[in-house]
PDB file of all heavy atoms in Angstrom:
ATOM      1  N   MET A  38      25.668 -31.824  -5.113  1.00  0.00           N
ATOM      2  CA  MET A  38      25.674 -31.372  -3.731  1.00  0.00           C
ATOM      3  C   MET A  38      25.537 -32.569  -2.784  1.00  0.00           C
ATOM      4  O   MET A  38      24.864 -33.545  -3.111  1.00  0.00           O
ATOM      5  CB  MET A  38      24.517 -30.396  -3.488  1.00  0.00           C
ATOM      6  CG  MET A  38      24.633 -29.098  -4.252  1.00  0.00           C
ATOM      7  SD  MET A  38      25.939 -28.054  -3.568  1.00  0.00           S
ATOM      8  CE  MET A  38      26.113 -26.830  -4.883  1.00  0.00           C
ATOM      9  N   PRO A  39      26.161 -32.501  -1.617  1.00  0.00           N
ATOM     10  CA  PRO A  39      26.083 -33.643  -0.693  1.00  0.00           C
ATOM     11  C   PRO A  39      24.687 -33.853  -0.129  1.00  0.00           C
ATOM     12  O   PRO A  39      24.341 -34.967   0.258  1.00  0.00           O
ATOM     13  CB  PRO A  39      27.084 -33.281   0.409  1.00  0.00           C
ATOM     14  CG  PRO A  39      27.213 -31.783   0.341  1.00  0.00           C
ATOM     15  CD  PRO A  39      27.044 -31.434  -1.101  1.00  0.00           C
ATOM     16  N   ASP A  40      23.887 -32.798  -0.054  1.00  0.00           N
ATOM     17  CA  ASP A  40      22.534 -32.919   0.480  1.00  0.00           C
ATOM     18  C   ASP A  40      21.735 -31.696   0.052  1.00  0.00           C
ATOM     19  O   ASP A  40      22.268 -30.717  -0.474  1.00  0.00           O
ATOM     20  CB  ASP A  40      22.543 -33.067   2.009  1.00  0.00           C
ATOM     21  CG  ASP A  40      23.349 -31.977   2.692  1.00  0.00           C
ATOM     22  OD1 ASP A  40      23.011 -30.782   2.498  1.00  0.00           O
ATOM     23  OD2 ASP A  40      24.319 -32.303   3.403  1.00  0.00           O
ATOM     24  N   GLN A  41      20.406 -31.763   0.296  1.00  0.00           N
ATOM     25  CA  GLN A  41      19.529 -30.664  -0.129  1.00  0.00           C
ATOM     26  C   GLN A  41      19.817 -29.369   0.618  1.00  0.00           C
ATOM     27  O   GLN A  41      19.725 -28.283   0.044  1.00  0.00           O
ATOM     28  CB  GLN A  41      18.072 -31.077   0.077  1.00  0.00           C
ATOM     29  CG  GLN A  41      17.535 -32.042  -0.963  1.00  0.00           C
ATOM     30  CD  GLN A  41      16.035 -32.201  -0.807  1.00  0.00           C
ATOM     31  OE1 GLN A  41      15.527 -32.425   0.284  1.00  0.00           O
ATOM     32  NE2 GLN A  41      15.311 -32.096  -1.908  1.00  0.00           N
ATOM     33  N   ALA A  42      20.152 -29.471   1.884  1.00  0.00           N
ATOM     34  CA  ALA A  42      20.404 -28.257   2.663  1.00  0.00           C
ATOM     35  C   ALA A  42      21.598 -27.496   2.107  1.00  0.00           C
ATOM     36  O   ALA A  42      21.581 -26.257   2.020  1.00  0.00           O
ATOM     37  CB  ALA A  42      20.627 -28.616   4.127  1.00  0.00           C
ATOM     38  N   THR A  43      22.639 -28.220   1.708  1.00  0.00           N
ATOM     39  CA  THR A  43      23.805 -27.567   1.114  1.00  0.00           C
ATOM     40  C   THR A  43      23.427 -26.894  -0.196  1.00  0.00           C
ATOM     41  O   THR A  43      23.849 -25.772  -0.486  1.00  0.00           O
ATOM     42  CB  THR A  43      24.930 -28.593   0.894  1.00  0.00           C
ATOM     43  OG1 THR A  43      25.258 -29.216   2.134  1.00  0.00           O
ATOM     44  CG2 THR A  43      26.171 -27.921   0.325  1.00  0.00           C
ATOM     45  N   GLY A  44      22.619 -27.581  -1.005  1.00  0.00           N
ATOM     46  CA  GLY A  44      22.171 -26.998  -2.263  1.00  0.00           C
ATOM     47  C   GLY A  44      21.346 -25.748  -2.055  1.00  0.00           C
ATOM     48  O   GLY A  44      21.524 -24.741  -2.754  1.00  0.00           O
ATOM     49  N   ALA A  45      20.436 -25.784  -1.069  1.00  0.00           N
ATOM     50  CA  ALA A  45      19.605 -24.614  -0.797  1.00  0.00           C
ATOM     51  C   ALA A  45      20.443 -23.441  -0.312  1.00  0.00           C
ATOM     52  O   ALA A  45      20.202 -22.287  -0.695  1.00  0.00           O
ATOM     53  CB  ALA A  45      18.540 -24.975   0.232  1.00  0.00           C
ATOM     54  N   SER A  46      21.435 -23.718   0.527  1.00  0.00           N
ATOM     55  CA  SER A  46      22.312 -22.649   1.000  1.00  0.00           C
ATOM     56  C   SER A  46      23.102 -22.033  -0.150  1.00  0.00           C
ATOM     57  O   SER A  46      23.307 -20.815  -0.205  1.00  0.00           O
ATOM     58  CB  SER A  46      23.272 -23.186   2.069  1.00  0.00           C
ATOM     59  OG  SER A  46      22.570 -23.603   3.217  1.00  0.00           O
ATOM     60  N   ALA A  47      23.541 -22.890  -1.089  1.00  0.00           N
ATOM     61  CA  ALA A  47      24.267 -22.384  -2.255  1.00  0.00           C
ATOM     62  C   ALA A  47      23.360 -21.521  -3.139  1.00  0.00           C
ATOM     63  O   ALA A  47      23.798 -20.517  -3.709  1.00  0.00           O
ATOM     64  CB  ALA A  47      24.836 -23.544  -3.061  1.00  0.00           C
ATOM     65  N   LEU A  48      22.078 -21.889  -3.236  1.00  0.00           N
ATOM     66  CA  LEU A  48      21.133 -21.077  -4.003  1.00  0.00           C
ATOM     67  C   LEU A  48      20.935 -19.715  -3.346  1.00  0.00           C
ATOM     68  O   LEU A  48      20.950 -18.676  -4.014  1.00  0.00           O
ATOM     69  CB  LEU A  48      19.801 -21.818  -4.118  1.00  0.00           C
ATOM     70  CG  LEU A  48      18.692 -21.113  -4.900  1.00  0.00           C
ATOM     71  CD1 LEU A  48      19.056 -20.999  -6.385  1.00  0.00           C
ATOM     72  CD2 LEU A  48      17.362 -21.859  -4.748  1.00  0.00           C
ATOM     73  N   ILE A  49      20.762 -19.707  -2.039  1.00  0.00           N
ATOM     74  CA  ILE A  49      20.579 -18.447  -1.311  1.00  0.00           C
ATOM     75  C   ILE A  49      21.812 -17.551  -1.458  1.00  0.00           C
ATOM     76  O   ILE A  49      21.695 -16.333  -1.631  1.00  0.00           O
ATOM     77  CB  ILE A  49      20.283 -18.737   0.171  1.00  0.00           C
ATOM     78  CG1 ILE A  49      18.902 -19.380   0.307  1.00  0.00           C
ATOM     79  CG2 ILE A  49      20.362 -17.467   1.009  1.00  0.00           C
ATOM     80  CD1 ILE A  49      18.599 -19.925   1.689  1.00  0.00           C
ATOM     81  N   ALA A  50      22.989 -18.165  -1.426  1.00  0.00           N
ATOM     82  CA  ALA A  50      24.233 -17.390  -1.531  1.00  0.00           C
ATOM     83  C   ALA A  50      24.550 -16.964  -2.963  1.00  0.00           C
ATOM     84  O   ALA A  50      25.498 -16.194  -3.177  1.00  0.00           O
ATOM     85  CB  ALA A  50      25.390 -18.221  -0.980  1.00  0.00           C
ATOM     86  N   GLY A  51      23.785 -17.442  -3.938  1.00  0.00           N
ATOM     87  CA  GLY A  51      24.053 -17.097  -5.326  1.00  0.00           C
ATOM     88  C   GLY A  51      25.151 -17.927  -5.957  1.00  0.00           C
ATOM     89  O   GLY A  51      25.622 -17.609  -7.049  1.00  0.00           O
ATOM     90  N   GLU A  52      25.562 -19.015  -5.281  1.00  0.00           N
ATOM     91  CA  GLU A  52      26.614 -19.876  -5.827  1.00  0.00           C
ATOM     92  C   GLU A  52      26.061 -20.826  -6.889  1.00  0.00           C
ATOM     93  O   GLU A  52      26.818 -21.335  -7.721  1.00  0.00           O
ATOM     94  CB  GLU A  52      27.266 -20.677  -4.700  1.00  0.00           C
ATOM     95  CG  GLU A  52      27.991 -19.784  -3.695  1.00  0.00           C
ATOM     96  CD  GLU A  52      28.324 -20.520  -2.407  1.00  0.00           C
ATOM     97  OE1 GLU A  52      27.979 -21.715  -2.317  1.00  0.00           O
ATOM     98  OE2 GLU A  52      28.910 -19.903  -1.502  1.00  0.00           O
ATOM     99  N   VAL A  53      24.768 -21.110  -6.847  1.00  0.00           N
ATOM    100  CA  VAL A  53      24.099 -21.838  -7.912  1.00  0.00           C
ATOM    101  C   VAL A  53      22.892 -21.019  -8.351  1.00  0.00           C
ATOM    102  O   VAL A  53      22.364 -20.196  -7.598  1.00  0.00           O
ATOM    103  CB  VAL A  53      23.682 -23.264  -7.494  1.00  0.00           C
ATOM    104  CG1 VAL A  53      24.881 -24.086  -7.078  1.00  0.00           C
ATOM    105  CG2 VAL A  53      22.636 -23.238  -6.399  1.00  0.00           C
ATOM    106  N   ASP A  54      22.465 -21.257  -9.590  1.00  0.00           N
ATOM    107  CA  ASP A  54      21.388 -20.461 -10.193  1.00  0.00           C
ATOM    108  C   ASP A  54      20.045 -21.157 -10.175  1.00  0.00           C
ATOM    109  O   ASP A  54      19.006 -20.505 -10.327  1.00  0.00           O
ATOM    110  CB  ASP A  54      21.747 -20.128 -11.643  1.00  0.00           C
ATOM    111  CG  ASP A  54      23.036 -19.341 -11.752  1.00  0.00           C
ATOM    112  OD1 ASP A  54      23.064 -18.203 -11.252  1.00  0.00           O
ATOM    113  OD2 ASP A  54      24.013 -19.866 -12.330  1.00  0.00           O
ATOM    114  N   TYR A  55      20.054 -22.470 -10.012  1.00  0.00           N
ATOM    115  CA  TYR A  55      18.811 -23.232 -10.104  1.00  0.00           C
ATOM    116  C   TYR A  55      18.951 -24.495  -9.267  1.00  0.00           C
ATOM    117  O   TYR A  55      20.005 -25.151  -9.278  1.00  0.00           O
ATOM    118  CB  TYR A  55      18.539 -23.606 -11.565  1.00  0.00           C
ATOM    119  CG  TYR A  55      17.370 -24.552 -11.777  1.00  0.00           C
ATOM    120  CD1 TYR A  55      16.094 -24.071 -12.062  1.00  0.00           C
ATOM    121  CD2 TYR A  55      17.546 -25.935 -11.717  1.00  0.00           C
ATOM    122  CE1 TYR A  55      15.020 -24.933 -12.263  1.00  0.00           C
ATOM    123  CE2 TYR A  55      16.480 -26.811 -11.916  1.00  0.00           C
ATOM    124  CZ  TYR A  55      15.219 -26.305 -12.187  1.00  0.00           C
ATOM    125  OH  TYR A  55      14.165 -27.161 -12.382  1.00  0.00           O
ATOM    126  N   MET A  56      17.889 -24.836  -8.547  1.00  0.00           N
ATOM    127  CA  MET A  56      17.839 -26.089  -7.787  1.00  0.00           C
ATOM    128  C   MET A  56      16.505 -26.746  -8.063  1.00  0.00           C
ATOM    129  O   MET A  56      15.445 -26.148  -7.866  1.00  0.00           O
ATOM    130  CB  MET A  56      18.021 -25.825  -6.295  1.00  0.00           C
ATOM    131  CG  MET A  56      18.062 -27.093  -5.463  1.00  0.00           C
ATOM    132  SD  MET A  56      18.507 -26.732  -3.731  1.00  0.00           S
ATOM    133  CE  MET A  56      18.360 -28.388  -3.019  1.00  0.00           C
ATOM    134  N   GLN A  57      16.554 -27.986  -8.545  1.00  0.00           N
ATOM    135  CA  GLN A  57      15.338 -28.641  -9.018  1.00  0.00           C
ATOM    136  C   GLN A  57      14.329 -28.890  -7.906  1.00  0.00           C
ATOM    137  O   GLN A  57      13.133 -28.645  -8.097  1.00  0.00           O
ATOM    138  CB  GLN A  57      15.696 -29.963  -9.711  1.00  0.00           C
ATOM    139  CG  GLN A  57      14.498 -30.679 -10.317  1.00  0.00           C
ATOM    140  CD  GLN A  57      14.879 -31.954 -11.047  1.00  0.00           C
ATOM    141  OE1 GLN A  57      16.055 -32.307 -11.154  1.00  0.00           O
ATOM    142  NE2 GLN A  57      13.885 -32.664 -11.554  1.00  0.00           N
ATOM    143  N   TYR A  58      14.782 -29.407  -6.773  1.00  0.00           N
ATOM    144  CA  TYR A  58      13.870 -29.735  -5.680  1.00  0.00           C
ATOM    145  C   TYR A  58      14.323 -29.037  -4.401  1.00  0.00           C
ATOM    146  O   TYR A  58      15.409 -29.328  -3.879  1.00  0.00           O
ATOM    147  CB  TYR A  58      13.817 -31.246  -5.430  1.00  0.00           C
ATOM    148  CG  TYR A  58      13.281 -32.048  -6.597  1.00  0.00           C
ATOM    149  CD1 TYR A  58      13.782 -33.320  -6.871  1.00  0.00           C
ATOM    150  CD2 TYR A  58      12.278 -31.537  -7.407  1.00  0.00           C
ATOM    151  CE1 TYR A  58      13.288 -34.063  -7.933  1.00  0.00           C
ATOM    152  CE2 TYR A  58      11.781 -32.269  -8.466  1.00  0.00           C
ATOM    153  CZ  TYR A  58      12.290 -33.530  -8.727  1.00  0.00           C
ATOM    154  OH  TYR A  58      11.795 -34.267  -9.780  1.00  0.00           O
ATOM    155  N   LEU A  59      13.490 -28.142  -3.908  1.00  0.00           N
ATOM    156  CA  LEU A  59      13.810 -27.452  -2.669  1.00  0.00           C
ATOM    157  C   LEU A  59      13.323 -28.263  -1.474  1.00  0.00           C
ATOM    158  O   LEU A  59      12.231 -28.839  -1.509  1.00  0.00           O
ATOM    159  CB  LEU A  59      13.142 -26.073  -2.654  1.00  0.00           C
ATOM    160  CG  LEU A  59      13.533 -25.117  -3.781  1.00  0.00           C
ATOM    161  CD1 LEU A  59      12.750 -23.818  -3.649  1.00  0.00           C
ATOM    162  CD2 LEU A  59      15.034 -24.850  -3.786  1.00  0.00           C
ATOM    163  N   PRO A  60      14.107 -28.311  -0.391  1.00  0.00           N
ATOM    164  CA  PRO A  60      13.670 -29.050   0.801  1.00  0.00           C
ATOM    165  C   PRO A  60      12.518 -28.324   1.496  1.00  0.00           C
ATOM    166  O   PRO A  60      12.564 -27.099   1.692  1.00  0.00           O
ATOM    167  CB  PRO A  60      14.922 -29.094   1.671  1.00  0.00           C
ATOM    168  CG  PRO A  60      15.768 -27.953   1.209  1.00  0.00           C
ATOM    169  CD  PRO A  60      15.464 -27.755  -0.237  1.00  0.00           C
ATOM    170  N   PHE A  61      11.497 -29.085   1.876  1.00  0.00           N
ATOM    171  CA  PHE A  61      10.304 -28.464   2.462  1.00  0.00           C
ATOM    172  C   PHE A  61      10.620 -27.696   3.744  1.00  0.00           C
ATOM    173  O   PHE A  61      10.055 -26.626   3.990  1.00  0.00           O
ATOM    174  CB  PHE A  61       9.245 -29.533   2.743  1.00  0.00           C
ATOM    175  CG  PHE A  61       8.613 -30.096   1.498  1.00  0.00           C
ATOM    176  CD1 PHE A  61       8.773 -31.430   1.170  1.00  0.00           C
ATOM    177  CD2 PHE A  61       7.872 -29.292   0.655  1.00  0.00           C
ATOM    178  CE1 PHE A  61       8.190 -31.954   0.028  1.00  0.00           C
ATOM    179  CE2 PHE A  61       7.294 -29.801  -0.495  1.00  0.00           C
ATOM    180  CZ  PHE A  61       7.453 -31.140  -0.803  1.00  0.00           C
ATOM    181  N   ASP A  62      11.536 -28.221   4.550  1.00  0.00           N
ATOM    182  CA  ASP A  62      11.779 -27.575   5.841  1.00  0.00           C
ATOM    183  C   ASP A  62      12.508 -26.231   5.693  1.00  0.00           C
ATOM    184  O   ASP A  62      12.537 -25.431   6.634  1.00  0.00           O
ATOM    185  CB  ASP A  62      12.563 -28.506   6.774  1.00  0.00           C
ATOM    186  CG  ASP A  62      13.911 -28.931   6.210  1.00  0.00           C
ATOM    187  OD1 ASP A  62      14.105 -28.848   4.985  1.00  0.00           O
ATOM    188  OD2 ASP A  62      14.764 -29.370   7.001  1.00  0.00           O
ATOM    189  N   LEU A  63      13.074 -25.978   4.506  1.00  0.00           N
ATOM    190  CA  LEU A  63      13.778 -24.708   4.289  1.00  0.00           C
ATOM    191  C   LEU A  63      12.972 -23.719   3.452  1.00  0.00           C
ATOM    192  O   LEU A  63      13.461 -22.630   3.128  1.00  0.00           O
ATOM    193  CB  LEU A  63      15.136 -24.973   3.622  1.00  0.00           C
ATOM    194  CG  LEU A  63      16.164 -25.720   4.482  1.00  0.00           C
ATOM    195  CD1 LEU A  63      17.457 -25.910   3.703  1.00  0.00           C
ATOM    196  CD2 LEU A  63      16.431 -24.983   5.788  1.00  0.00           C
ATOM    197  N   LEU A  64      11.737 -24.081   3.088  1.00  0.00           N
ATOM    198  CA  LEU A  64      10.947 -23.172   2.258  1.00  0.00           C
ATOM    199  C   LEU A  64      10.734 -21.801   2.898  1.00  0.00           C
ATOM    200  O   LEU A  64      10.826 -20.781   2.202  1.00  0.00           O
ATOM    201  CB  LEU A  64       9.604 -23.819   1.902  1.00  0.00           C
ATOM    202  CG  LEU A  64       9.650 -24.988   0.920  1.00  0.00           C
ATOM    203  CD1 LEU A  64       8.229 -25.443   0.582  1.00  0.00           C
ATOM    204  CD2 LEU A  64      10.404 -24.633  -0.353  1.00  0.00           C
ATOM    205  N   PRO A  65      10.427 -21.704   4.205  1.00  0.00           N
ATOM    206  CA  PRO A  65      10.259 -20.359   4.779  1.00  0.00           C
ATOM    207  C   PRO A  65      11.500 -19.486   4.621  1.00  0.00           C
ATOM    208  O   PRO A  65      11.395 -18.296   4.304  1.00  0.00           O
ATOM    209  CB  PRO A  65       9.952 -20.653   6.255  1.00  0.00           C
ATOM    210  CG  PRO A  65       9.342 -22.019   6.253  1.00  0.00           C
ATOM    211  CD  PRO A  65      10.084 -22.759   5.188  1.00  0.00           C
ATOM    212  N   ARG A  66      12.665 -20.069   4.814  1.00  0.00           N
ATOM    213  CA  ARG A  66      13.904 -19.308   4.650  1.00  0.00           C
ATOM    214  C   ARG A  66      14.115 -18.919   3.191  1.00  0.00           C
ATOM    215  O   ARG A  66      14.515 -17.788   2.882  1.00  0.00           O
ATOM    216  CB  ARG A  66      15.079 -20.148   5.145  1.00  0.00           C
ATOM    217  CG  ARG A  66      16.428 -19.450   5.045  1.00  0.00           C
ATOM    218  CD  ARG A  66      17.548 -20.363   5.486  1.00  0.00           C
ATOM    219  NE  ARG A  66      18.853 -19.791   5.194  1.00  0.00           N
ATOM    220  CZ  ARG A  66      19.979 -20.488   5.113  1.00  0.00           C
ATOM    221  NH1 ARG A  66      19.947 -21.804   5.326  1.00  0.00           N
ATOM    222  NH2 ARG A  66      21.117 -19.898   4.839  1.00  0.00           N
ATOM    223  N   LEU A  67      13.809 -19.832   2.276  1.00  0.00           N
ATOM    224  CA  LEU A  67      13.982 -19.550   0.856  1.00  0.00           C
ATOM    225  C   LEU A  67      13.002 -18.482   0.383  1.00  0.00           C
ATOM    226  O   LEU A  67      13.334 -17.653  -0.467  1.00  0.00           O
ATOM    227  CB  LEU A  67      13.804 -20.848   0.053  1.00  0.00           C
ATOM    228  CG  LEU A  67      14.971 -21.835   0.171  1.00  0.00           C
ATOM    229  CD1 LEU A  67      14.515 -23.250  -0.165  1.00  0.00           C
ATOM    230  CD2 LEU A  67      16.113 -21.419  -0.756  1.00  0.00           C
ATOM    231  N   GLU A  68      11.799 -18.493   0.926  1.00  0.00           N
ATOM    232  CA  GLU A  68      10.813 -17.472   0.553  1.00  0.00           C
ATOM    233  C   GLU A  68      11.274 -16.074   0.944  1.00  0.00           C
ATOM    234  O   GLU A  68      10.945 -15.089   0.277  1.00  0.00           O
ATOM    235  CB  GLU A  68       9.465 -17.788   1.211  1.00  0.00           C
ATOM    236  CG  GLU A  68       8.752 -18.988   0.582  1.00  0.00           C
ATOM    237  CD  GLU A  68       7.505 -19.373   1.352  1.00  0.00           C
ATOM    238  OE1 GLU A  68       7.429 -19.056   2.566  1.00  0.00           O
ATOM    239  OE2 GLU A  68       6.612 -19.998   0.769  1.00  0.00           O
ATOM    240  N   ARG A  69      12.044 -15.983   2.021  1.00  0.00           N
ATOM    241  CA  ARG A  69      12.534 -14.680   2.500  1.00  0.00           C
ATOM    242  C   ARG A  69      13.839 -14.254   1.837  1.00  0.00           C
ATOM    243  O   ARG A  69      14.233 -13.090   1.939  1.00  0.00           O
ATOM    244  CB  ARG A  69      12.725 -14.726   4.026  1.00  0.00           C
ATOM    245  CG  ARG A  69      11.451 -14.931   4.823  1.00  0.00           C
ATOM    246  CD  ARG A  69      11.704 -14.699   6.309  1.00  0.00           C
ATOM    247  NE  ARG A  69      12.742 -15.579   6.836  1.00  0.00           N
ATOM    248  CZ  ARG A  69      12.516 -16.763   7.384  1.00  0.00           C
ATOM    249  NH1 ARG A  69      11.267 -17.220   7.467  1.00  0.00           N
ATOM    250  NH2 ARG A  69      13.512 -17.499   7.858  1.00  0.00           N
TER     251      ARG A  69
END
């Protein structure tokens, strides 16, 4: 992935199944 935000968005969308390190600033969105 080009950056963590892209990876996190792909995880939320179900395009990837696992992401090793989640970006701290996106944790609230990921929790929801």
Side-chain angles (χ1 to χ4, degrees):
M38 294 288 167
D40 52 59
Q41 284 190 311
T43 303
S46 295
L48 180 67
I49 291 170
E52 296 165 0
V53 300
D54 300 296
Y55 173 94
M56 183 172 176
Q57 184 178 358
Y58 297 145
L59 300 178
F61 289 116
D62 59 340
L63 293 180
L64 289 185
R66 181 183 171 200
L67 287 158
E68 288 173 336
R69 296 191 302 268

